[in-house]
């Protein structure tokens, strides 16, 4: 899963006020007739691991998209997303449930003298991923059969409905040079051993990453000769840089999105990639203070989510009813609980609890802190005292993982947001029994949930898949361990002279940008 900023890594959630973010269907002469100049963007930190097998995600995926071949990419299909072949292939077809045939385009050359891109590179890259941090994306892969210098077949061990959308379109689907990887010992960090794409990559830590035109690239020319990605850690600082015309495009926070929606500056537009973020307040079912399900259910009834959406997010986010995001199979439109302080007090009384004091941990940013303060006030109204503990990124993402220390034993309440890709499989995988102590910080297990998880991967009937994922979210909610909050849009402000391209999960794809 990709959370914004670390490993583990909104769908087409657009409104008339915001407009939709267009995904260009491959490179066309008309769309990219004008080229040249420098595109100035923001990244929120240094790219620490560019290797697809061991990356954190986010802007590292953005870098891979510019410098490495991919077989598939996201495309718009009406009100949903689908996939299409990239210009790196002349053929990409799913022959049946377990076979995907491909043929690489001619003329693809690796940098640094590593020769043409071969089908054997695809085989090496994908089979290698089975032994990396992102192996979950390749669980269904059996092997890649090479049928020619540029052709092959991806063979799955079992049907895996979202393989192309989830695996091939996303960062783990990058192709590496087998020979170059051998020369660097099998893995790398901040320097690509060989590139094949429209751009090369250089970075100055703490300052910027620069993508320059690749002199060995023979494919379609991108709209910009150079892309300069400046390291700006704070969203507010990036917004100010954009308003000073020092950036051509940047992600914006909820309050700025609301302000721009009402009063859009001249020469500026808004693009919404999607709403593939899901945020909730979690509760540790094993903590002594929260083991009684009635206490957890009381907290569910005590939190006024509508006030959070207005007070912390200025009405710019969609209300959540589970982990499946807007536009995806399995999205729910209601919850099994409602804001009802009287019901909350009754449940606490039934559990024989009074004077309860809890700690709520959150990332230390504006929207999360405002959310935490509203929850603090809500719970105070039913007799629960809440201490808010803001954390920086490092300790926050470690706190529920048993491998990172003992903090998981003290977890009581926390605000969490995960990001996902355009298939419900991605979101559900983090809550299975084997994720307890890894990413299932609520620490519950359920045999039906685990069984449905496997069924959902293999099921190809749309209605049956929908029903499976609705039921899985009901199981989660019935633990009492979740208060669903919202789906935040991945929103960008940009110059009208720039045409933005992004994955539905928000990663920008600079090579598919255009000039307005």
């Amino acid at each position: 899963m990709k959370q914004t900023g670390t490993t583990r890594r909104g769908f087409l959630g657009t409104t008339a006020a915001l407009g939709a973010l267009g995904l260009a269907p491959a490179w066309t002469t008309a769309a990219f007739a004008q080229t040249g100049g420098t595109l100035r963007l923001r990244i929120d930190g240094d790219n620490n691991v560019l290797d697809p097998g061991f990356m954190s995600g986010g802007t590292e995926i953005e870098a891979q998209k510019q410098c490495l071949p991919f077989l598939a990419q996201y495309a718009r299909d009406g009100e949903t997303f689908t996939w299409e072949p990239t210009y790196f292939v002349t053929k990409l077809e799913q022959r049946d449930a377990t076979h995907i045939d491909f043929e690489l385009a001619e003329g693809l050359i690796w940098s640094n003298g590593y020769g043409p891109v071969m089908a054997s590179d695809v085989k090496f890259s994908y089979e290698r991923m089975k032994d990396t941090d992102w192996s979950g994306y390749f669980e269904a892969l059996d092997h890649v059969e090479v049928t020619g210098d540029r052709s092959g077949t991806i063979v799955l061990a079992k049907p895996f409905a979202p393989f192309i959308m989830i695996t091939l379109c996303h960062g783990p689907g990058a192709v590496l040079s087998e020979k170059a990887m051998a020369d660097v010992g099998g893995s790398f960090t901040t320097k690509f051993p060989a590139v094949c794409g429209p751009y090369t990559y250089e970075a100055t830590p703490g300052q910027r990453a620069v993508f320059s035109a690749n002199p060995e690239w023979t494919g379609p020319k991108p709209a910009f000769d150079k892309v300069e990605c400046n390291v700006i850690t704070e969203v507010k600082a990036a917004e100010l840089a954009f308003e000073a015309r020092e950036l051509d495009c940047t992600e914006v926070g909820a309050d700025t999105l609301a302000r721009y929606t009402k009063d859009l500056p001249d020469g500026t537009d808004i693009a919404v990639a999607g709403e593939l973020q899901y945020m909730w307040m979690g509760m540790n079912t094993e903590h002594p203070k929260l083991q009684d399900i009635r206490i957890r259910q009381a907290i569910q009834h005590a939190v006024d989510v509508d006030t959070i959406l207005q007070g912390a997010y200025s009405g710019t986010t969609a209300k959540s009813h589970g982990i499946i995001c807007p536009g995806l199979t399995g999205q729910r439109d209601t919850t099994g609980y409602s804001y009802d302080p009287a019901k909350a007090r009754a449940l606490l009384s039934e559990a024989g609890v009074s004077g309860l004091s809890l700690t709520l941990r959150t990332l230390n940013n504006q929207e999360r802190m405002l959310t935490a303060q509203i929850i603090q006030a809500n719970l105070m109204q039913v007799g629960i005292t809440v201490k808010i503990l803001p954390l920086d990124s490092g300790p926050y993402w470690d706190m529920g993982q048993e491998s990172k220390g003992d903090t998981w034993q003290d977890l009581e309440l926390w605000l969490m947001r995960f990001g996902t890709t355009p298939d419900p499989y991605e979101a559900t995988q983090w809550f299975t029994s084997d994720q307890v102590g890894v990413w299932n910080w609520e620490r519950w297990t359920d045999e039906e949930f685990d069984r449905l998880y496997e069924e959902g991967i293999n099921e190809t009937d749309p209605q049956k898949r929908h029903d499976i994922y609705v039921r899985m979210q009901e199981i989660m909610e019935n633990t009492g361990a979740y208060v669903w909050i919202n789906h935040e849009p991945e929103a960008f402000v940009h110059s009208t002279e720039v045409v933005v391209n992004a994955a539905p999960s928000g990663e920008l794809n600079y090579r598919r940008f255009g000039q307005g």
Side-chain angles (χ1 to χ4, degrees), residues 16 29 55 58 82 113 142 145 148 151 172 230 347 352 367 370 400 430 449:
T29 303
M55 63 180 171
T82 183
D142 186 88
E145 179 182 347
S151 62
N230 298 282
L347 284 164
E367 289 84 9
L370 287 171
W430 312 114
F449 187 94

Side-chain angles (χ1 to χ4, degrees), residues 213-236:
N214 180 2
E216 298 181 77
W217 175 244
T218 59
K221 187 177 180 180
F224 295 92
D225 290 335
K226 179 183 288 187
V227 182
E228 184 179 280
C229 298
N230 298 282
V231 176
I232 305 176
T233 57
E234 297 298 326
V235 172
K236 288 298 179 188

Side-chain angles (χ1 to χ4, degrees), residues 271-292:
V272 177
E275 292 175 313
L276 294 188
Q277 313 288 336
Y278 50 105
M279 182 174 165
W280 73 94
M281 183 175 72
M283 307 176 219
N284 184 354
T285 60
E286 292 184 356
H287 195 280
K289 293 182 180 180
L290 294 165
Q291 286 178 344
D292 191 325

